[in-house]
Amino acid sequence: MAKVHCYFGVENLALNDSQRDTLSAGLRQLGPASHPQPACLCHWRKRLDGDACIFEALFDEDVLTVAVFKQRLATLFGIDPGDVGHSTSQESFAEGKTPVVTFSYGGTDYLRMALFGGTATTWMQSGDEARGYLKAYQEEWEAEL
Amino acid sequence: MGLLHGTRRALLGGRRAYTQKVLSYNPLVYFPQWENAGVVSDELINGWNGAYTGVTLGQPGIGDGNTSPFFDGLLDFNNIWTAALRAAFNGNEGTVAIWGRVNAVGVWTDAAWRYLLAMQVDVNNRLYLAKSIVNNTLQWQYRAAGVIETVALAGLTTTDWFYMALTWSGPLLLNEVRAYYNGVQTGLTQVGLGAWAGLLHANRNAIGAFDIVPTSVSHGWAAHGAVWARPLAPAEIADLYVI
């Protein structure tokens, strides 16, 4: 299984607190069970309001695809993955490209996921995009300004 | 005491090494951050180990033969709080010191606070060593009972290692705060301190970040973080700058 060391972010759009916590707990299981480098173990940072999170780990490449992410959401919430819709866009927060996917269910957007730097990214490129994102939304993520 | 990680050149051989020098000044806690693997940050005095999150270990060190961790400016920190440190820490008298290095010259102008070391009770009682949100500036701060003592050093562009230290002695003692950059006092001696109150907060004492959320994460390297229960003398700080 190919691995990718990168950052991704998720933003809650309409999940209730219980659903959000269920999703967060599920995403925290991604990444290796063990690794000598702390950077490769799944770790995260919450936005100050608790409704967004940035994750980093040495991920299996396929867990970050739209199809697998939909399946994960379906499993977490007990729904048919075929009923999970999505739309895609692209952002750039530094000099890279960050695909953004919005997941929906029953016509309501519930979750936004950004894969910083995209799928064919180096760790540093992914980090540059994530740092650029954090800089752009500094007031929402940083306690000290 | 965790002595099985990282490079042990500092404790082997006849030649006096940097780590031995730090130890000779009897710190309260000392985190060399010399590990190459794992999540435990060795604390060499009492085994009050820190816990790494997200750092990349085994990176080039200050030149003492040991390695250092890289902090990504996003999610990384070393949580140095323990109940034992909380009980032992004296907010009214002490020294903190650490080596730091930014990832690239652009970090100096990235318009973000990046903390090398923060020790906090609450918003009114805390101290830190940080890269300021102001371009090209480092900042030292000691705050007790809401009385703030700040020293800033501007005009910095270095991508080499630098050494920051802060000494404090409360209103019933010397009543002063001094900031040191690369072994030499920078700025004026600050006087008129407040009286530190409270115990260290479990989530707000870290190397490489402001807290363990984390926020205001360092972007670069940090090594040899130490805390003393007394204000070190200028000559001692100068000696600790020499590798």
Side-chain angles (χ1 to χ4, degrees):
Chain A
M1 175 69 64
K3 306 283 188 182
V4 59
H5 186 184
C6 67
Y7 302 81
F8 75 88
V10 292
E11 182 180 22
N12 175 25
L13 300 177
L15 298 170
N16 62 35
D17 288 351
S18 176
Q19 293 168 333
R20 181 197 61 196
D21 293 344
T22 297
L23 173 66
S24 184
L27 294 179
R28 292 177 183 184
Q29 303 306 309
L30 298 177
S34 65
H35 198 283
Q37 280 289 4
C40 293
L41 298 171
C42 188
H43 55 286
W44 52 87
R45 169 181 178 173
K46 282 186 181 179
R47 197 169 64 188
L48 297 178
D49 66 359
D51 268 333
C53 203
I54 298 174
F55 293 84
E56 179 197 357
L58 182 66
F59 299 107
D60 290 337
E61 214 170 43
D62 73 338
V63 304
L64 301 176
T65 64
V66 172
V68 172
F69 215 81
K70 279 188 177 181
Q71 181 61 60
R72 179 170 296 274
L73 294 176
T75 301
L76 283 173
F77 298 116
I79 58 178
D80 187 329
D83 294 334
V84 179
H86 77 278
S87 60
T88 59
S89 62
Q90 188 165 273
E91 301 279 351
S92 180
F93 299 107
E95 296 180 354
K97 296 178 182 178
T98 293
V100 179
V101 181
T102 302
F103 296 95
S104 60
Y105 180 75
T108 299
D109 291 341
Y110 277 92
L111 182 72
R112 184 174 296 132
M113 186 265 205
L115 181 58
F116 294 108
T119 53
T121 187
T122 66
W123 175 61
M124 191 57 68
Q125 290 168 338
S126 182
D128 286 342
E129 279 290 294
R131 282 182 288 272
Y133 165 79
L134 217 61
K135 183 175 182 178
Y137 295 95
Q138 197 174 44
E139 290 186 2
E140 299 174 51
W141 288 84
E142 296 290 6
E144 294 286 297
L145 294 175
Chain B
M1 190 184 303
L3 293 178
L4 299 179
H5 295 283
T7 304
R8 292 296 179 262
R9 286 181 55 184
L11 298 179
L12 301 176
R15 189 165 66 91
R16 188 167 187 250
Y18 185 76
T19 300
Q20 290 177 318
K21 179 190 291 190
V22 176
L23 292 170
S24 74
Y25 287 111
N26 300 310
L28 174 65
V29 287
Y30 174 30
F31 303 91
Q33 302 203 137
W34 58 15
E35 297 82 3
N36 290 318
V39 296
V40 175
S41 174
D42 289 340
E43 190 288 294
L44 299 191
I45 309 303
N46 294 293
W48 300 345
N49 296 332
Y52 292 120
T53 292
V55 302
T56 304
L57 296 170
Q59 301 304 296
I62 64 171
D64 64 327
N66 291 302
T67 60
S68 72
F70 176 79
F71 296 80
D72 67 355
L74 285 163
L75 311 182
D76 299 349
F77 59 94
N78 178 3
N79 182 3
I80 62 172
W81 184 91
T82 57
L85 177 60
R86 179 185 62 183
F89 181 74
N90 180 1
N92 278 306
E93 189 171 50
T95 300
V96 291
I98 196 164
W99 289 86
R101 181 181 174 198
V102 299
N103 178 53
V105 68
V107 174
W108 290 110
T109 55
D110 67 4
W113 280 101
R114 301 199 181 279
Y115 286 73
L116 274 175
L117 186 148
M119 301 190 75
Q120 311 185 64
V121 173
D122 54 29
V123 67
N124 291 314
N125 299 276
R126 67 190 199 194
L127 59 89
Y128 64 72
L129 307 173
K131 183 203 79 73
S132 171
I133 199 169
V134 176
N135 285 351
N136 306 101
T137 300
L138 289 174
Q139 189 166 110
W140 296 249
Q141 190 175 102
Y142 173 86
R143 185 184 301 193
V147 179
I148 302 173
E149 315 292 349
T150 301
V151 175
L153 177 64
L156 297 167
T157 59
T158 182
T159 55
D160 290 330
W161 285 98
F162 55 85
Y163 190 56
M164 297 182 77
L166 178 74
T167 65
W168 66 94
S169 183
L172 300 181
L173 303 160
L174 297 176
N175 196 23
E176 67 175 36
V177 164
R178 296 175 185 240
Y180 295 83
Y181 176 73
N182 288 348
V184 177
Q185 183 173 347
T186 185
L188 298 174
T189 300
Q190 307 296 302
V191 297
L193 277 57
W196 184 281
L199 299 174
L200 296 178
H201 193 288
N203 297 333
R204 300 178 191 170
N205 289 267
I207 290 174
F210 180 71
D211 51 34
I212 66 169
V213 172
T215 62
S216 300
V217 178
S218 281
H219 191 191
W221 300 265
H224 298 285
V227 182
W228 285 264
R230 63 179 178 89
L232 295 183
E236 295 174 313
I237 301 289
D239 186 37
L240 285 168
Y241 173 59
V242 178
I243 298 171

